[in-house]
């Protein structure tokens, strides 16, 4: 679980997860198109995410595709959130999103 | 072959035998869709049937690959979608436990969206069951 939190403790890596969440199974090249970082930097960040089991690399022919693996996040959910009522948390989250405007930006930055 | 729709990986402190038994068990396959357990002899080419609450069974898919303790793959018709999905379970020893990889192919975007949250939940539950994690203690 330490590796998961360490991996999440970086805005660029969270951005990469956002990109995969929006469009799963992307190549390094596709991910680079949306980022201002060098290819090497993106590659390094992906390696950290892979080590934390948050990103799964899968070879499709000669292409290496990257998939967001939500299983470790579910474990975090199970540990600290599962006893709380889902509808109430959803309602609070919706309230925040509505009041703050752009949900993506506010949640992720 | 189309690009997989999603890939899940989880590490479970268990044995290959226990995990294999679990993924082919009534209880796991029932949780899998929350509709009814899947029945099959899990041999290549065998049908996968789902039993509904009235006890009626319906053919839902077919076993594509079956290598006990290592790989299980089958097609499955989700809800009313026409295009069947292929589900692959890959089991591999890793450290003191087992690495379980679940790969879905040919899922339409919509069914993926409605199905995916449930899946992570099931996987997580499977992990807890196998590791005999005192789940109640965690949330108490």
């Amino acid at each position: 679980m330490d590796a998961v939190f360490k991996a999440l403790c970086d805005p660029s890596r969270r951005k990469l997860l956002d990109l995969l969440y929006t469009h799963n199974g992307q190549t390094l090249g596709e991910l680079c198109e949306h980022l201002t970082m060098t290819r090497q930097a993106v590659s390094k960040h992906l390696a950290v995410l892979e080590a934390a089991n948050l990103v799964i690399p899968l070879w499709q022919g000669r292409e290496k595709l990257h998939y967001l693996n939500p299983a470790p996040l579910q474990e975090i959910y199970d540990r600290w959130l599962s006893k709380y009522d889902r509808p109430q948390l959803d309602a609070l989250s919706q309230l925040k999103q509505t009041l703050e405007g752009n949900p993506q930006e506010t949640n992720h930055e | 072959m189309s690009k997989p729709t999603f890939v899940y990986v989880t590490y479970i402190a268990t044995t290959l035998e226990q995990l294999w038994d679990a993924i082919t068990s009534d209880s796991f396959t029932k949780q899998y869709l929350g509709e009814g357990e899947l029945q099959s002899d899990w041999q290549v080419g065998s049908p996968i049937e789902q039993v509904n609450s009235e006890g009626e069974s319906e053919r839902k898919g077919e076993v594509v690959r079956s290598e006990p303790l290592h790989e299980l793959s089958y097609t499955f018709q989700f809800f009313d979608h026409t295009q069947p999905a292929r589900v692959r379970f890959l089991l591999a020893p890793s450290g003191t436990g087992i690495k379980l990889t679940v790969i879905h192919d040919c899922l339409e975007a919509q069914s993926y969206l409605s199905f995916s949250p449930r899946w992570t939940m099931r996987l997580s539950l499977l992990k807890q069951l196998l590791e005999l994690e005192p789940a109640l203690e965690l949330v108490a």
Side-chain angles (χ1 to χ4, degrees):
Chain A
M1 202 168 264
D2 285 353
V4 174
F5 283 106
K6 276 179 191 157
L8 291 172
C9 186
D10 179 281
S12 300
R13 290 198 284 272
R14 292 197 297 273
K15 173 75 177 167
L16 279 168
L17 293 180
D18 286 340
L19 290 171
L20 292 177
Y21 181 73
T22 314
H23 187 66
N24 216 356
Q26 296 190 63
T27 61
L28 175 60
E30 286 168 332
L31 288 166
C32 286
E33 282 172 26
H34 304 278
L35 299 160
T36 48
M37 288 179 283
T38 62
R39 201 180 162 87
Q40 286 81 355
V42 177
S43 185
K44 265 190 172 174
H45 283 308
L46 281 174
V48 176
L49 290 166
E50 283 175 29
N53 198 28
L54 285 166
V55 165
I56 306 298
L58 202 72
W59 286 94
Q60 183 84 353
R62 283 192 296 179
E63 280 189 324
K64 188 186 184 188
L65 305 177
H66 300 85
Y67 284 84
L68 171 61
N69 182 27
L73 301 175
Q74 179 70 36
E75 285 164 31
I76 292 170
Y77 173 87
D78 289 342
R79 183 156 169 180
W80 287 299
L81 291 175
S82 52
K83 79 165 181 176
Y84 298 101
D85 282 335
R86 200 60 238 198
Q88 286 154 19
L89 283 178
D90 282 343
L92 283 178
S93 173
Q94 284 253 301
L95 182 72
K96 177 179 161 74
Q97 285 178 18
T98 310
L99 292 171
E100 291 180 351
N102 188 336
Q104 291 294 317
E105 289 299 315
T106 47
N107 283 346
H108 295 151
E109 294 310 318
Chain B
M1 191 177 75
S2 66
K3 184 167 113 174
T5 318
F6 64 77
V7 183
Y8 291 152
V9 173
T10 188
Y11 293 84
I12 305 182
T14 186
T15 62
L16 283 173
E17 289 80 6
Q18 284 178 319
L19 183 54
W20 180 267
D21 286 349
I23 60 172
T24 54
S25 69
D26 286 352
S27 58
F28 178 69
T29 57
K30 184 173 182 176
Q31 287 163 355
Y32 168 92
L33 276 182
E35 289 179 355
E37 63 208 40
L38 297 182
Q39 292 187 337
S40 176
D41 62 8
W42 309 107
Q43 304 290 313
V44 175
S46 291
I48 304 264
E49 294 183 324
Q50 189 168 51
V51 185
N52 65 21
S53 51
E54 276 94 57
E56 299 161 338
S57 63
E58 188 187 348
R59 189 187 170 104
K60 288 283 189 170
E62 188 180 302
V63 180
V64 179
R65 196 166 176 158
S66 182
E67 288 176 38
L69 310 190
H70 300 290
E71 180 170 352
L72 177 67
S73 169
Y74 53 88
T75 56
F76 194 85
Q77 192 82 53
F78 289 105
F79 308 109
D80 54 349
H81 293 276
T82 47
Q83 189 185 18
R86 188 180 61 153
V87 192
R88 278 189 281 167
F89 295 89
L90 308 172
L91 290 62
S94 172
T96 53
I98 307 298
K99 178 184 181 184
L100 172 66
T101 305
V102 185
I103 302 175
H104 273 245
D105 296 312
C106 320
L107 263 181
E108 288 165 41
Q110 197 47 49
S111 58
Y112 160 58
L113 288 176
S114 56
F115 182 62
S116 189
R118 203 164 358 183
W119 242 110
T120 21
M121 216 161 72
R122 300 312 169 214
L123 274 185
S124 172
L125 198 67
L126 179 71
K127 182 180 161 73
Q128 285 179 11
L129 288 173
L130 285 171
E131 294 184 348
L132 298 173
E133 196 169 60
L136 286 174
E137 244 172 58
L138 285 178
V139 296

